[in-house]
Amino acid sequence: MPDASRLVPLKPNWFHILLTLSDEPHHGYSIMREVEHRTDGKLKLWPATLYGTIRKLEDEDLIERVEYEPDDGSDDERRQYYALTRFGKRVLRTEVERLEQLVRLARAKTALSK
């Protein structure tokens, strides 16, 4: 399997898409809504950006299209669902560990602890 560290640090839109898919598969519009909600509207993934990024994430074997039916029965047969691959989970975990280390370093700085 490829080295996960070669892809970090992740671009913000890559990170947020992978984070969205970490719990369960989502379709594109669902990804857009969750990212916008999670970031309080600071990051909006417009369709061209979203689907271009999805293609790149697929090319890097971070996500894949899957067959999925939501528990709430809200499925539409036209929707394409995406899920993390095993490699995608490793890359996301590597990025989260990197971010945790940055936060630990920042908190250790005297100016931030006052």
mmCIF file with all atom_site columns, all heavy atoms in Angstrom, residues 47-72:
data_model
loop_
_atom_site.group_PDB
_atom_site.id
_atom_site.type_symbol
_atom_site.label_atom_id
_atom_site.label_alt_id
_atom_site.label_comp_id
_atom_site.label_asym_id
_atom_site.label_entity_id
_atom_site.label_seq_id
_atom_site.pdbx_PDB_ins_code
_atom_site.Cartn_x
_atom_site.Cartn_y
_atom_site.Cartn_z
_atom_site.occupancy
_atom_site.B_iso_or_equiv
_atom_site.pdbx_formal_charge
_atom_site.auth_seq_id
_atom_site.auth_comp_id
_atom_site.auth_asym_id
_atom_site.auth_atom_id
_atom_site.pdbx_PDB_model_num
ATOM 1   N N   . PRO A 1 47 ? -20.285 22.887 -6.661  1.00 0.00 ? 47 PRO A N   1
ATOM 2   C CA  . PRO A 1 47 ? -20.300 21.629 -7.425  1.00 0.00 ? 47 PRO A CA  1
ATOM 3   C C   . PRO A 1 47 ? -19.039 21.368 -8.252  1.00 0.00 ? 47 PRO A C   1
ATOM 4   O O   . PRO A 1 47 ? -18.511 20.252 -8.231  1.00 0.00 ? 47 PRO A O   1
ATOM 5   C CB  . PRO A 1 47 ? -21.541 21.758 -8.306  1.00 0.00 ? 47 PRO A CB  1
ATOM 6   C CG  . PRO A 1 47 ? -22.468 22.608 -7.479  1.00 0.00 ? 47 PRO A CG  1
ATOM 7   C CD  . PRO A 1 47 ? -21.565 23.610 -6.793  1.00 0.00 ? 47 PRO A CD  1
ATOM 8   N N   . ALA A 1 48 ? -18.538 22.360 -8.962  1.00 0.00 ? 48 ALA A N   1
ATOM 9   C CA  . ALA A 1 48 ? -17.345 22.122 -9.792  1.00 0.00 ? 48 ALA A CA  1
ATOM 10  C C   . ALA A 1 48 ? -16.148 21.746 -8.924  1.00 0.00 ? 48 ALA A C   1
ATOM 11  O O   . ALA A 1 48 ? -15.392 20.824 -9.262  1.00 0.00 ? 48 ALA A O   1
ATOM 12  C CB  . ALA A 1 48 ? -17.021 23.357 -10.631 1.00 0.00 ? 48 ALA A CB  1
ATOM 13  N N   . THR A 1 49 ? -15.984 22.439 -7.808  1.00 0.00 ? 49 THR A N   1
ATOM 14  C CA  . THR A 1 49 ? -14.888 22.129 -6.887  1.00 0.00 ? 49 THR A CA  1
ATOM 15  C C   . THR A 1 49 ? -15.086 20.756 -6.263  1.00 0.00 ? 49 THR A C   1
ATOM 16  O O   . THR A 1 49 ? -14.159 19.950 -6.200  1.00 0.00 ? 49 THR A O   1
ATOM 17  C CB  . THR A 1 49 ? -14.798 23.194 -5.782  1.00 0.00 ? 49 THR A CB  1
ATOM 18  O OG1 . THR A 1 49 ? -14.572 24.464 -6.389  1.00 0.00 ? 49 THR A OG1 1
ATOM 19  C CG2 . THR A 1 49 ? -13.684 22.881 -4.801  1.00 0.00 ? 49 THR A CG2 1
ATOM 20  N N   . LEU A 1 50 ? -16.297 20.494 -5.785  1.00 0.00 ? 50 LEU A N   1
ATOM 21  C CA  . LEU A 1 50 ? -16.594 19.227 -5.127  1.00 0.00 ? 50 LEU A CA  1
ATOM 22  C C   . LEU A 1 50 ? -16.325 18.048 -6.045  1.00 0.00 ? 50 LEU A C   1
ATOM 23  O O   . LEU A 1 50 ? -15.583 17.128 -5.690  1.00 0.00 ? 50 LEU A O   1
ATOM 24  C CB  . LEU A 1 50 ? -18.042 19.189 -4.645  1.00 0.00 ? 50 LEU A CB  1
ATOM 25  C CG  . LEU A 1 50 ? -18.479 17.842 -4.095  1.00 0.00 ? 50 LEU A CG  1
ATOM 26  C CD1 . LEU A 1 50 ? -17.799 17.542 -2.776  1.00 0.00 ? 50 LEU A CD1 1
ATOM 27  C CD2 . LEU A 1 50 ? -19.984 17.798 -3.946  1.00 0.00 ? 50 LEU A CD2 1
ATOM 28  N N   . TYR A 1 51 ? -16.907 18.064 -7.238  1.00 0.00 ? 51 TYR A N   1
ATOM 29  C CA  . TYR A 1 51 ? -16.784 16.888 -8.107  1.00 0.00 ? 51 TYR A CA  1
ATOM 30  C C   . TYR A 1 51 ? -15.390 16.770 -8.720  1.00 0.00 ? 51 TYR A C   1
ATOM 31  O O   . TYR A 1 51 ? -14.925 15.660 -8.970  1.00 0.00 ? 51 TYR A O   1
ATOM 32  C CB  . TYR A 1 51 ? -17.903 16.872 -9.152  1.00 0.00 ? 51 TYR A CB  1
ATOM 33  C CG  . TYR A 1 51 ? -19.226 16.566 -8.471  1.00 0.00 ? 51 TYR A CG  1
ATOM 34  C CD1 . TYR A 1 51 ? -20.152 17.565 -8.225  1.00 0.00 ? 51 TYR A CD1 1
ATOM 35  C CD2 . TYR A 1 51 ? -19.498 15.294 -8.001  1.00 0.00 ? 51 TYR A CD2 1
ATOM 36  C CE1 . TYR A 1 51 ? -21.349 17.295 -7.558  1.00 0.00 ? 51 TYR A CE1 1
ATOM 37  C CE2 . TYR A 1 51 ? -20.682 15.008 -7.334  1.00 0.00 ? 51 TYR A CE2 1
ATOM 38  C CZ  . TYR A 1 51 ? -21.594 16.019 -7.116  1.00 0.00 ? 51 TYR A CZ  1
ATOM 39  O OH  . TYR A 1 51 ? -22.758 15.736 -6.446  1.00 0.00 ? 51 TYR A OH  1
ATOM 40  N N   . GLY A 1 52 ? -14.710 17.891 -8.910  1.00 0.00 ? 52 GLY A N   1
ATOM 41  C CA  . GLY A 1 52 ? -13.310 17.821 -9.327  1.00 0.00 ? 52 GLY A CA  1
ATOM 42  C C   . GLY A 1 52 ? -12.447 17.198 -8.245  1.00 0.00 ? 52 GLY A C   1
ATOM 43  O O   . GLY A 1 52 ? -11.571 16.364 -8.516  1.00 0.00 ? 52 GLY A O   1
ATOM 44  N N   . THR A 1 53 ? -12.712 17.577 -6.998  1.00 0.00 ? 53 THR A N   1
ATOM 45  C CA  . THR A 1 53 ? -11.963 17.015 -5.873  1.00 0.00 ? 53 THR A CA  1
ATOM 46  C C   . THR A 1 53 ? -12.293 15.540 -5.700  1.00 0.00 ? 53 THR A C   1
ATOM 47  O O   . THR A 1 53 ? -11.390 14.722 -5.452  1.00 0.00 ? 53 THR A O   1
ATOM 48  C CB  . THR A 1 53 ? -12.272 17.798 -4.583  1.00 0.00 ? 53 THR A CB  1
ATOM 49  O OG1 . THR A 1 53 ? -11.936 19.175 -4.783  1.00 0.00 ? 53 THR A OG1 1
ATOM 50  C CG2 . THR A 1 53 ? -11.480 17.243 -3.407  1.00 0.00 ? 53 THR A CG2 1
ATOM 51  N N   . ILE A 1 54 ? -13.548 15.181 -5.842  1.00 0.00 ? 54 ILE A N   1
ATOM 52  C CA  . ILE A 1 54 ? -13.935 13.767 -5.738  1.00 0.00 ? 54 ILE A CA  1
ATOM 53  C C   . ILE A 1 54 ? -13.169 12.938 -6.766  1.00 0.00 ? 54 ILE A C   1
ATOM 54  O O   . ILE A 1 54 ? -12.656 11.863 -6.449  1.00 0.00 ? 54 ILE A O   1
ATOM 55  C CB  . ILE A 1 54 ? -15.465 13.602 -5.887  1.00 0.00 ? 54 ILE A CB  1
ATOM 56  C CG1 . ILE A 1 54 ? -16.154 14.042 -4.587  1.00 0.00 ? 54 ILE A CG1 1
ATOM 57  C CG2 . ILE A 1 54 ? -15.841 12.169 -6.250  1.00 0.00 ? 54 ILE A CG2 1
ATOM 58  C CD1 . ILE A 1 54 ? -17.658 14.072 -4.656  1.00 0.00 ? 54 ILE A CD1 1
ATOM 59  N N   . ARG A 1 55 ? -13.062 13.430 -7.991  1.00 0.00 ? 55 ARG A N   1
ATOM 60  C CA  . ARG A 1 55 ? -12.305 12.702 -9.022  1.00 0.00 ? 55 ARG A CA  1
ATOM 61  C C   . ARG A 1 55 ? -10.848 12.518 -8.606  1.00 0.00 ? 55 ARG A C   1
ATOM 62  O O   . ARG A 1 55 ? -10.274 11.436 -8.767  1.00 0.00 ? 55 ARG A O   1
ATOM 63  C CB  . ARG A 1 55 ? -12.386 13.422 -10.369 1.00 0.00 ? 55 ARG A CB  1
ATOM 64  C CG  . ARG A 1 55 ? -13.636 13.092 -11.153 1.00 0.00 ? 55 ARG A CG  1
ATOM 65  C CD  . ARG A 1 55 ? -13.557 13.587 -12.586 1.00 0.00 ? 55 ARG A CD  1
ATOM 66  N NE  . ARG A 1 55 ? -13.428 15.040 -12.670 1.00 0.00 ? 55 ARG A NE  1
ATOM 67  C CZ  . ARG A 1 55 ? -14.441 15.896 -12.578 1.00 0.00 ? 55 ARG A CZ  1
ATOM 68  N NH1 . ARG A 1 55 ? -15.659 15.457 -12.373 1.00 0.00 ? 55 ARG A NH1 1
ATOM 69  N NH2 . ARG A 1 55 ? -14.236 17.192 -12.678 1.00 0.00 ? 55 ARG A NH2 1
ATOM 70  N N   . LYS A 1 56 ? -10.254 13.576 -8.052  1.00 0.00 ? 56 LYS A N   1
ATOM 71  C CA  . LYS A 1 56 ? -8.850  13.480 -7.616  1.00 0.00 ? 56 LYS A CA  1
ATOM 72  C C   . LYS A 1 56 ? -8.704  12.502 -6.454  1.00 0.00 ? 56 LYS A C   1
ATOM 73  O O   . LYS A 1 56 ? -7.738  11.731 -6.408  1.00 0.00 ? 56 LYS A O   1
ATOM 74  C CB  . LYS A 1 56 ? -8.323  14.862 -7.227  1.00 0.00 ? 56 LYS A CB  1
ATOM 75  C CG  . LYS A 1 56 ? -8.151  15.779 -8.407  1.00 0.00 ? 56 LYS A CG  1
ATOM 76  C CD  . LYS A 1 56 ? -7.761  17.175 -7.978  1.00 0.00 ? 56 LYS A CD  1
ATOM 77  C CE  . LYS A 1 56 ? -7.727  18.104 -9.176  1.00 0.00 ? 56 LYS A CE  1
ATOM 78  N NZ  . LYS A 1 56 ? -7.538  19.491 -8.783  1.00 0.00 ? 56 LYS A NZ  1
ATOM 79  N N   . LEU A 1 57 ? -9.654  12.521 -5.531  1.00 0.00 ? 57 LEU A N   1
ATOM 80  C CA  . LEU A 1 57 ? -9.603  11.596 -4.401  1.00 0.00 ? 57 LEU A CA  1
ATOM 81  C C   . LEU A 1 57 ? -9.765  10.155 -4.872  1.00 0.00 ? 57 LEU A C   1
ATOM 82  O O   . LEU A 1 57 ? -9.109  9.248  -4.342  1.00 0.00 ? 57 LEU A O   1
ATOM 83  C CB  . LEU A 1 57 ? -10.680 11.953 -3.371  1.00 0.00 ? 57 LEU A CB  1
ATOM 84  C CG  . LEU A 1 57 ? -10.489 13.289 -2.648  1.00 0.00 ? 57 LEU A CG  1
ATOM 85  C CD1 . LEU A 1 57 ? -11.714 13.619 -1.808  1.00 0.00 ? 57 LEU A CD1 1
ATOM 86  C CD2 . LEU A 1 57 ? -9.233  13.288 -1.805  1.00 0.00 ? 57 LEU A CD2 1
ATOM 87  N N   . GLU A 1 58 ? -10.596 9.941  -5.874  1.00 0.00 ? 58 GLU A N   1
ATOM 88  C CA  . GLU A 1 58 ? -10.725 8.602  -6.465  1.00 0.00 ? 58 GLU A CA  1
ATOM 89  C C   . GLU A 1 58 ? -9.422  8.202  -7.154  1.00 0.00 ? 58 GLU A C   1
ATOM 90  O O   . GLU A 1 58 ? -8.970  7.065  -7.004  1.00 0.00 ? 58 GLU A O   1
ATOM 91  C CB  . GLU A 1 58 ? -11.880 8.561  -7.476  1.00 0.00 ? 58 GLU A CB  1
ATOM 92  C CG  . GLU A 1 58 ? -13.249 8.542  -6.852  1.00 0.00 ? 58 GLU A CG  1
ATOM 93  C CD  . GLU A 1 58 ? -14.348 8.514  -7.897  1.00 0.00 ? 58 GLU A CD  1
ATOM 94  O OE1 . GLU A 1 58 ? -14.384 9.417  -8.773  1.00 0.00 ? 58 GLU A OE1 1
ATOM 95  O OE2 . GLU A 1 58 ? -15.173 7.585  -7.844  1.00 0.00 ? 58 GLU A OE2 1
ATOM 96  N N   . ASP A 1 59 ? -8.825  9.122  -7.895  1.00 0.00 ? 59 ASP A N   1
ATOM 97  C CA  . ASP A 1 59 ? -7.569  8.832  -8.592  1.00 0.00 ? 59 ASP A CA  1
ATOM 98  C C   . ASP A 1 59 ? -6.452  8.459  -7.619  1.00 0.00 ? 59 ASP A C   1
ATOM 99  O O   . ASP A 1 59 ? -5.583  7.654  -7.948  1.00 0.00 ? 59 ASP A O   1
ATOM 100 C CB  . ASP A 1 59 ? -7.113  10.035 -9.436  1.00 0.00 ? 59 ASP A CB  1
ATOM 101 C CG  . ASP A 1 59 ? -7.993  10.284 -10.649 1.00 0.00 ? 59 ASP A CG  1
ATOM 102 O OD1 . ASP A 1 59 ? -8.791  9.389  -11.017 1.00 0.00 ? 59 ASP A OD1 1
ATOM 103 O OD2 . ASP A 1 59 ? -7.896  11.388 -11.224 1.00 0.00 ? 59 ASP A OD2 1
ATOM 104 N N   . GLU A 1 60 ? -6.472  9.042  -6.431  1.00 0.00 ? 60 GLU A N   1
ATOM 105 C CA  . GLU A 1 60 ? -5.456  8.750  -5.412  1.00 0.00 ? 60 GLU A CA  1
ATOM 106 C C   . GLU A 1 60 ? -5.836  7.531  -4.561  1.00 0.00 ? 60 GLU A C   1
ATOM 107 O O   . GLU A 1 60 ? -5.141  7.202  -3.611  1.00 0.00 ? 60 GLU A O   1
ATOM 108 C CB  . GLU A 1 60 ? -5.236  9.962  -4.504  1.00 0.00 ? 60 GLU A CB  1
ATOM 109 C CG  . GLU A 1 60 ? -4.579  11.129 -5.166  1.00 0.00 ? 60 GLU A CG  1
ATOM 110 C CD  . GLU A 1 60 ? -3.104  10.914 -5.451  1.00 0.00 ? 60 GLU A CD  1
ATOM 111 O OE1 . GLU A 1 60 ? -2.520  9.916  -4.985  1.00 0.00 ? 60 GLU A OE1 1
ATOM 112 O OE2 . GLU A 1 60 ? -2.523  11.765 -6.157  1.00 0.00 ? 60 GLU A OE2 1
ATOM 113 N N   . ASP A 1 61 ? -6.951  6.878  -4.889  1.00 0.00 ? 61 ASP A N   1
ATOM 114 C CA  . ASP A 1 61 ? -7.450  5.710  -4.160  1.00 0.00 ? 61 ASP A CA  1
ATOM 115 C C   . ASP A 1 61 ? -7.789  6.034  -2.699  1.00 0.00 ? 61 ASP A C   1
ATOM 116 O O   . ASP A 1 61 ? -7.629  5.198  -1.816  1.00 0.00 ? 61 ASP A O   1
ATOM 117 C CB  . ASP A 1 61 ? -6.463  4.540  -4.235  1.00 0.00 ? 61 ASP A CB  1
ATOM 118 C CG  . ASP A 1 61 ? -7.078  3.234  -3.726  1.00 0.00 ? 61 ASP A CG  1
ATOM 119 O OD1 . ASP A 1 61 ? -8.287  3.023  -3.971  1.00 0.00 ? 61 ASP A OD1 1
ATOM 120 O OD2 . ASP A 1 61 ? -6.363  2.457  -3.076  1.00 0.00 ? 61 ASP A OD2 1
ATOM 121 N N   . LEU A 1 62 ? -8.277  7.247  -2.466  1.00 0.00 ? 62 LEU A N   1
ATOM 122 C CA  . LEU A 1 62 ? -8.682  7.635  -1.120  1.00 0.00 ? 62 LEU A CA  1
ATOM 123 C C   . LEU A 1 62 ? -10.167 7.378  -0.883  1.00 0.00 ? 62 LEU A C   1
ATOM 124 O O   . LEU A 1 62 ? -10.583 7.124  0.240   1.00 0.00 ? 62 LEU A O   1
ATOM 125 C CB  . LEU A 1 62 ? -8.368  9.111  -0.869  1.00 0.00 ? 62 LEU A CB  1
ATOM 126 C CG  . LEU A 1 62 ? -6.892  9.489  -0.972  1.00 0.00 ? 62 LEU A CG  1
ATOM 127 C CD1 . LEU A 1 62 ? -6.712  10.991 -0.832  1.00 0.00 ? 62 LEU A CD1 1
ATOM 128 C CD2 . LEU A 1 62 ? -6.080  8.746  0.070   1.00 0.00 ? 62 LEU A CD2 1
ATOM 129 N N   . ILE A 1 63 ? -10.955 7.485  -1.950  1.00 0.00 ? 63 ILE A N   1
ATOM 130 C CA  . ILE A 1 63 ? -12.381 7.194  -1.864  1.00 0.00 ? 63 ILE A CA  1
ATOM 131 C C   . ILE A 1 63 ? -12.780 6.345  -3.056  1.00 0.00 ? 63 ILE A C   1
ATOM 132 O O   . ILE A 1 63 ? -12.055 6.262  -4.053  1.00 0.00 ? 63 ILE A O   1
ATOM 133 C CB  . ILE A 1 63 ? -13.246 8.482  -1.812  1.00 0.00 ? 63 ILE A CB  1
ATOM 134 C CG1 . ILE A 1 63 ? -13.178 9.261  -3.127  1.00 0.00 ? 63 ILE A CG1 1
ATOM 135 C CG2 . ILE A 1 63 ? -12.845 9.351  -0.622  1.00 0.00 ? 63 ILE A CG2 1
ATOM 136 C CD1 . ILE A 1 63 ? -14.146 10.437 -3.191  1.00 0.00 ? 63 ILE A CD1 1
ATOM 137 N N   . GLU A 1 64 ? -13.955 5.736  -2.930  1.00 0.00 ? 64 GLU A N   1
ATOM 138 C CA  . GLU A 1 64 ? -14.486 4.919  -4.023  1.00 0.00 ? 64 GLU A CA  1
ATOM 139 C C   . GLU A 1 64 ? -15.999 5.034  -4.044  1.00 0.00 ? 64 GLU A C   1
ATOM 140 O O   . GLU A 1 64 ? -16.624 5.326  -3.019  1.00 0.00 ? 64 GLU A O   1
ATOM 141 C CB  . GLU A 1 64 ? -14.066 3.465  -3.850  1.00 0.00 ? 64 GLU A CB  1
ATOM 142 C CG  . GLU A 1 64 ? -14.591 2.824  -2.583  1.00 0.00 ? 64 GLU A CG  1
ATOM 143 C CD  . GLU A 1 64 ? -14.016 1.451  -2.311  1.00 0.00 ? 64 GLU A CD  1
ATOM 144 O OE1 . GLU A 1 64 ? -13.348 0.892  -3.189  1.00 0.00 ? 64 GLU A OE1 1
ATOM 145 O OE2 . GLU A 1 64 ? -14.250 0.938  -1.201  1.00 0.00 ? 64 GLU A OE2 1
ATOM 146 N N   . ARG A 1 65 ? -16.579 4.793  -5.203  1.00 0.00 ? 65 ARG A N   1
ATOM 147 C CA  . ARG A 1 65 ? -18.036 4.743  -5.324  1.00 0.00 ? 65 ARG A CA  1
ATOM 148 C C   . ARG A 1 65 ? -18.510 3.430  -4.741  1.00 0.00 ? 65 ARG A C   1
ATOM 149 O O   . ARG A 1 65 ? -17.878 2.390  -4.944  1.00 0.00 ? 65 ARG A O   1
ATOM 150 C CB  . ARG A 1 65 ? -18.458 4.848  -6.783  1.00 0.00 ? 65 ARG A CB  1
ATOM 151 C CG  . ARG A 1 65 ? -18.177 6.197  -7.362  1.00 0.00 ? 65 ARG A CG  1
ATOM 152 C CD  . ARG A 1 65 ? -18.583 6.257  -8.799  1.00 0.00 ? 65 ARG A CD  1
ATOM 153 N NE  . ARG A 1 65 ? -17.950 7.427  -9.393  1.00 0.00 ? 65 ARG A NE  1
ATOM 154 C CZ  . ARG A 1 65 ? -18.399 8.048  -10.452 1.00 0.00 ? 65 ARG A CZ  1
ATOM 155 N NH1 . ARG A 1 65 ? -19.468 7.605  -11.068 1.00 0.00 ? 65 ARG A NH1 1
ATOM 156 N NH2 . ARG A 1 65 ? -17.771 9.105  -10.915 1.00 0.00 ? 65 ARG A NH2 1
ATOM 157 N N   . VAL A 1 66 ? -19.622 3.513  -4.029  1.00 0.00 ? 66 VAL A N   1
ATOM 158 C CA  . VAL A 1 66 ? -20.170 2.314  -3.401  1.00 0.00 ? 66 VAL A CA  1
ATOM 159 C C   . VAL A 1 66 ? -21.678 2.262  -3.594  1.00 0.00 ? 66 VAL A C   1
ATOM 160 O O   . VAL A 1 66 ? -22.323 3.288  -3.823  1.00 0.00 ? 66 VAL A O   1
ATOM 161 C CB  . VAL A 1 66 ? -19.849 2.267  -1.884  1.00 0.00 ? 66 VAL A CB  1
ATOM 162 C CG1 . VAL A 1 66 ? -18.353 2.148  -1.647  1.00 0.00 ? 66 VAL A CG1 1
ATOM 163 C CG2 . VAL A 1 66 ? -20.416 3.470  -1.152  1.00 0.00 ? 66 VAL A CG2 1
ATOM 164 N N   . GLU A 1 67 ? -22.210 1.060  -3.490  1.00 0.00 ? 67 GLU A N   1
ATOM 165 C CA  . GLU A 1 67 ? -23.661 0.879  -3.432  1.00 0.00 ? 67 GLU A CA  1
ATOM 166 C C   . GLU A 1 67 ? -24.063 1.137  -1.986  1.00 0.00 ? 67 GLU A C   1
ATOM 167 O O   . GLU A 1 67 ? -23.462 0.580  -1.066  1.00 0.00 ? 67 GLU A O   1
ATOM 168 C CB  . GLU A 1 67 ? -24.037 -0.554 -3.824  1.00 0.00 ? 67 GLU A CB  1
ATOM 169 C CG  . GLU A 1 67 ? -23.693 -0.903 -5.259  1.00 0.00 ? 67 GLU A CG  1
ATOM 170 C CD  . GLU A 1 67 ? -24.556 -0.158 -6.258  1.00 0.00 ? 67 GLU A CD  1
ATOM 171 O OE1 . GLU A 1 67 ? -25.748 0.085  -5.973  1.00 0.00 ? 67 GLU A OE1 1
ATOM 172 O OE2 . GLU A 1 67 ? -24.022 0.190  -7.330  1.00 0.00 ? 67 GLU A OE2 1
ATOM 173 N N   . TYR A 1 68 ? -25.062 1.987  -1.787  1.00 0.00 ? 68 TYR A N   1
ATOM 174 C CA  . TYR A 1 68 ? -25.444 2.337  -0.422  1.00 0.00 ? 68 TYR A CA  1
ATOM 175 C C   . TYR A 1 68 ? -26.888 2.779  -0.406  1.00 0.00 ? 68 TYR A C   1
ATOM 176 O O   . TYR A 1 68 ? -27.341 3.495  -1.291  1.00 0.00 ? 68 TYR A O   1
ATOM 177 C CB  . TYR A 1 68 ? -24.539 3.474  0.090   1.00 0.00 ? 68 TYR A CB  1
ATOM 178 C CG  . TYR A 1 68 ? -24.836 3.902  1.498   1.00 0.00 ? 68 TYR A CG  1
ATOM 179 C CD1 . TYR A 1 68 ? -24.502 3.095  2.582   1.00 0.00 ? 68 TYR A CD1 1
ATOM 180 C CD2 . TYR A 1 68 ? -25.454 5.122  1.749   1.00 0.00 ? 68 TYR A CD2 1
ATOM 181 C CE1 . TYR A 1 68 ? -24.768 3.497  3.878   1.00 0.00 ? 68 TYR A CE1 1
ATOM 182 C CE2 . TYR A 1 68 ? -25.719 5.532  3.046   1.00 0.00 ? 68 TYR A CE2 1
ATOM 183 C CZ  . TYR A 1 68 ? -25.372 4.712  4.104   1.00 0.00 ? 68 TYR A CZ  1
ATOM 184 O OH  . TYR A 1 68 ? -25.639 5.114  5.391   1.00 0.00 ? 68 TYR A OH  1
ATOM 185 N N   . GLU A 1 69 ? -27.609 2.326  0.611   1.00 0.00 ? 69 GLU A N   1
ATOM 186 C CA  . GLU A 1 69 ? -28.973 2.771  0.838   1.00 0.00 ? 69 GLU A CA  1
ATOM 187 C C   . GLU A 1 69 ? -29.060 3.330  2.246   1.00 0.00 ? 69 GLU A C   1
ATOM 188 O O   . GLU A 1 69 ? -28.844 2.604  3.216   1.00 0.00 ? 69 GLU A O   1
ATOM 189 C CB  . GLU A 1 69 ? -29.955 1.615  0.687   1.00 0.00 ? 69 GLU A CB  1
ATOM 190 C CG  . GLU A 1 69 ? -30.136 1.172  -0.741  1.00 0.00 ? 69 GLU A CG  1
ATOM 191 C CD  . GLU A 1 69 ? -31.256 0.155  -0.885  1.00 0.00 ? 69 GLU A CD  1
ATOM 192 O OE1 . GLU A 1 69 ? -32.236 0.251  -0.124  1.00 0.00 ? 69 GLU A OE1 1
ATOM 193 O OE2 . GLU A 1 69 ? -31.131 -0.714 -1.740  1.00 0.00 ? 69 GLU A OE2 1
ATOM 194 N N   . PRO A 1 70 ? -29.371 4.619  2.383   1.00 0.00 ? 70 PRO A N   1
ATOM 195 C CA  . PRO A 1 70 ? -29.471 5.210  3.713   1.00 0.00 ? 70 PRO A CA  1
ATOM 196 C C   . PRO A 1 70 ? -30.583 4.557  4.530   1.00 0.00 ? 70 PRO A C   1
ATOM 197 O O   . PRO A 1 70 ? -31.585 4.104  3.981   1.00 0.00 ? 70 PRO A O   1
ATOM 198 C CB  . PRO A 1 70 ? -29.796 6.677  3.448   1.00 0.00 ? 70 PRO A CB  1
ATOM 199 C CG  . PRO A 1 70 ? -29.654 6.890  1.992   1.00 0.00 ? 70 PRO A CG  1
ATOM 200 C CD  . PRO A 1 70 ? -29.637 5.571  1.321   1.00 0.00 ? 70 PRO A CD  1
ATOM 201 N N   . ASP A 1 71 ? -30.393 4.543  5.837   1.00 0.00 ? 71 ASP A N   1
ATOM 202 C CA  . ASP A 1 71 ? -31.380 3.946  6.734   1.00 0.00 ? 71 ASP A CA  1
ATOM 203 C C   . ASP A 1 71 ? -32.717 4.671  6.702   1.00 0.00 ? 71 ASP A C   1
ATOM 204 O O   . ASP A 1 71 ? -33.755 4.065  6.946   1.00 0.00 ? 71 ASP A O   1
ATOM 205 C CB  . ASP A 1 71 ? -30.861 3.947  8.183   1.00 0.00 ? 71 ASP A CB  1
ATOM 206 C CG  . ASP A 1 71 ? -29.688 3.007  8.375   1.00 0.00 ? 71 ASP A CG  1
ATOM 207 O OD1 . ASP A 1 71 ? -29.554 2.049  7.586   1.00 0.00 ? 71 ASP A OD1 1
ATOM 208 O OD2 . ASP A 1 71 ? -28.915 3.235  9.319   1.00 0.00 ? 71 ASP A OD2 1
ATOM 209 N N   . ASP A 1 72 ? -32.693 5.963  6.399   1.00 0.00 ? 72 ASP A N   1
ATOM 210 C CA  . ASP A 1 72 ? -33.935 6.736  6.433   1.00 0.00 ? 72 ASP A CA  1
ATOM 211 C C   . ASP A 1 72 ? -34.756 6.618  5.144   1.00 0.00 ? 72 ASP A C   1
ATOM 212 O O   . ASP A 1 72 ? -35.787 7.250  4.999   1.00 0.00 ? 72 ASP A O   1
ATOM 213 C CB  . ASP A 1 72 ? -33.655 8.202  6.740   1.00 0.00 ? 72 ASP A CB  1
ATOM 214 C CG  . ASP A 1 72 ? -32.835 8.898  5.663   1.00 0.00 ? 72 ASP A CG  1
ATOM 215 O OD1 . ASP A 1 72 ? -32.534 8.283  4.615   1.00 0.00 ? 72 ASP A OD1 1
ATOM 216 O OD2 . ASP A 1 72 ? -32.481 10.071 5.881   1.00 0.00 ? 72 ASP A OD2 1
#
